[in-house]
Amino acid sequence: MPDPAGVTAALVPAFSAQLVRWQKSHGRHSLPWQNTRDPYRVWLSEIMLQQTQVATVLDYYTRFLQRFPTVVDLALAKPDEVLGLWSGLGYYSRARNLHRCAQDVVRLHGGQFPQTAERLQTLSGIGPSTAAAIASFCFSERVAILDGNVKRVLTRLTAFSGDLASNAQERTLLGMATELLPRRNLREDMPRYTQGIMDLGATICTSRQPSCLLCPVQTLCLGLASGAPERFPIKTRKLKRSALSLSLLWAERSDGAVWLERRPVTGIWGGLYCFPVFAGEDELLAALPASLQDRLQAVPPFVHVLTHKDLRLSPMRLVLSARPARALQLPEDGAWFGRDDWIVLGLPAPIRKLLGG
Ligand code: SF4
């Protein structure tokens, strides 16, 4: 591996200057969370953009801000309403942390976000990269973000052959990322540099086919000079995908209300409202009196893809009279919800889809 300090020294300060210039003329400028130094808006977008594409986040971001225009509004919200607005974005621990974080900002910091990356990291759900993004965008702190896009750009730029599965190598890369940051005119250049490196990773230095001919730093890029920039970043440990089969009891009354119960906070769909979930059809049948088993209608099974898991879902539908409580022993932590009620709850995406919400 080339000497990281030598590599970085050779790139400073040309890299930051070229990136800042490129961002001004070619970067993204019209996303709704740009052109603001309001940490509430930047924080909200950063949390939503973790693991989620920009195109998906746009609507959610707008709806969230309409309902919760300030961090105080969010802090005062009911948890179910926050989960309801988050419903469909996935990774629901993000929504729970978001709510907790807003409450901490109000309770511990008088409604103002802390202004350094170090202090921002003390809040729920804010990791080092998110903290760095908020601090550099809103307060021009000279601090490096290191999300997946940025790791890709920097490992290619420097032909970084360390294995990012190792924490030590990741720390080395963070050191290089910090060295490469702008050193002057920080108020203007830090937000632009941070946006620039994000834009470069999202639009030019993409994971499969980097558009090196369009890249503003192509003359500096050691990965390109090596002839195979796509081989960076190097990470040996890969998460294995797994599969899980579940049966779902879709109990519906003749007046349209459906039975939903809240999932445990940990595990799949933690804290969301869901049809009763069973490990298989036998378990589902065992939960029903014999008189109701014949009335079950099988809905075609389908696969719902999570990041590291394929869920094979087999819904069984059961249509009941408007007053079914005696015939059906449903779990105590659930309830019947009419459409107006479930539509605002946090539901897993496949359940919302089945219900046509
Ligand atoms: Fe990425 Fe190619 Fe630019 Fe290097 S030259 S940073 S590999 S897009």
Side-chain angles (χ1 to χ4, degrees):
M1 187 171 82
D3 165 31
V7 168
T8 321
L11 293 168
V12 175
F15 177 69
S16 63
Q18 291 180 23
L19 193 62
V20 164
R21 241 190 336 266
W22 174 80
Q23 206 290 324
K24 255 188 213 167
S25 54
H26 290 86
R28 298 176 294 184
H29 297 275
S30 55
L31 296 169
W33 45 84
Q34 292 180 313
N35 310 314
T36 177
R37 287 188 180 244
D38 177 353
Y40 174 60
R41 287 169 178 250
V42 171
W43 163 69
L44 186 59
S45 69
E46 287 296 320
I47 302 292
M48 286 187 166
L49 287 165
Q50 290 167 4
Q51 324 275 359
T52 311
Q53 303 283 332
V54 167
T56 309
V57 166
L58 287 169
D59 278 355
Y60 282 89
Y61 180 79
T62 307
R63 271 201 303 273
F64 234 83
L65 276 182
Q66 273 164 358
R67 173 59 192 88
F68 308 121
T70 69
V71 70
V72 177
D73 298 312
L74 178 56
L76 293 174
K78 294 211 170 82
D80 278 350
E81 194 180 2
V82 178
L83 278 172
L85 275 176
W86 197 271
S87 188
L89 263 183
Y91 295 96
Y92 294 94
S93 58
R94 288 185 297 173
R96 287 190 294 275
N97 280 331
L98 191 85
H99 195 206
R100 210 171 297 138
C101 178
Q103 291 171 333
D104 285 350
V105 168
V106 171
R107 193 169 51 88
L108 304 174
H109 300 280
Q112 303 295 320
F113 278 82
Q115 300 199 358
T116 63
E118 195 182 350
R119 292 183 65 219
L120 283 160
Q121 280 180 66
T122 62
L123 295 167
S124 290
I126 299 189
S129 200
T130 304
I134 301 168
S136 63
F137 279 133
C138 305
F139 309 115
S140 294
E141 184 179 349
R142 190 175 177 279
V143 60
I145 56 168
L146 202 58
D147 64 10
N149 278 345
V150 176
K151 284 179 195 168
R152 189 168 60 249
V153 170
L154 293 184
T155 53
R156 288 174 177 176
L157 177 78
T158 60
F160 185 83
S161 55
D163 182 354
L164 293 187
S166 137
N167 289 339
Q169 294 296 345
E170 184 146 337
R171 276 197 301 277
T172 302
L173 188 65
L174 179 60
M176 293 166 73
T178 306
E179 279 299 301
L180 288 168
L181 295 171
R183 289 166 192 274
R184 286 193 217 112
N185 193 20
L186 296 186
R187 178 162 167 80
E188 224 191 276
D189 283 3
M190 260 321 294
R192 208 174 276 290
Y193 174 91
T194 303
Q195 187 63 54
I197 202 160
M198 285 179 170
D199 292 352
L200 191 66
T203 63
I204 304 269
C205 195
T206 52
S207 87
R208 299 237 167 93
Q209 282 191 315
S211 307
C212 300
L213 285 176
L214 302 175
C215 179
V217 293
Q218 55 181 277
T219 56
L220 304 173
C221 182
L222 299 179
L224 177 60
S226 79
E230 306 83 0
R231 89 180 176 90
F232 304 101
I234 293 164
K235 189 164 186 177
T236 53
R237 194 179 55 219
K238 297 231 174 4
L239 280 171
K240 281 198 200 125
R241 287 195 69 72
S242 59
L244 180 66
S245 296
L246 298 171
S247 291
L248 306 170
L249 177 58
W250 177 356
E252 185 171 344
R253 290 193 320 213
S254 56
D255 61 1
V258 291
W259 182 270
L260 298 170
E261 57 187 55
R262 197 200 274 275
R263 302 277 307 149
V265 169
T266 52
I268 289 169
W269 303 328
L272 300 188
Y273 283 85
C274 186
F275 296 157
V277 174
F278 300 89
E281 192 175 325
D282 289 349
E283 287 80 356
L284 187 153
L285 290 173
L288 293 176
S291 59
L292 291 178
Q293 292 178 5
D294 291 345
R295 291 165 59 183
L296 283 169
Q297 303 157 20
V299 173
F302 59 97
V303 175
H304 180 69
V305 179
L306 302 174
T307 308
H308 302 303
K309 205 185 281 287
D310 290 339
L311 296 181
R312 298 188 183 128
L313 302 175
S314 304
M316 301 286 274
R317 195 168 186 183
L318 180 63
V319 179
L320 300 156
S321 68
R323 306 186 62 187
R326 274 161 212 245
L328 187 60
Q329 298 291 314
L330 287 164
E332 283 175 4
D333 53 353
W336 292 104
F337 290 90
R339 185 181 174 85
D340 288 350
D341 298 321
W342 64 251
I343 202 106
V344 294
L345 290 177
L347 304 180
I351 304 299
R352 188 173 291 279
K353 206 163 165 196
L354 281 170
L355 289 173

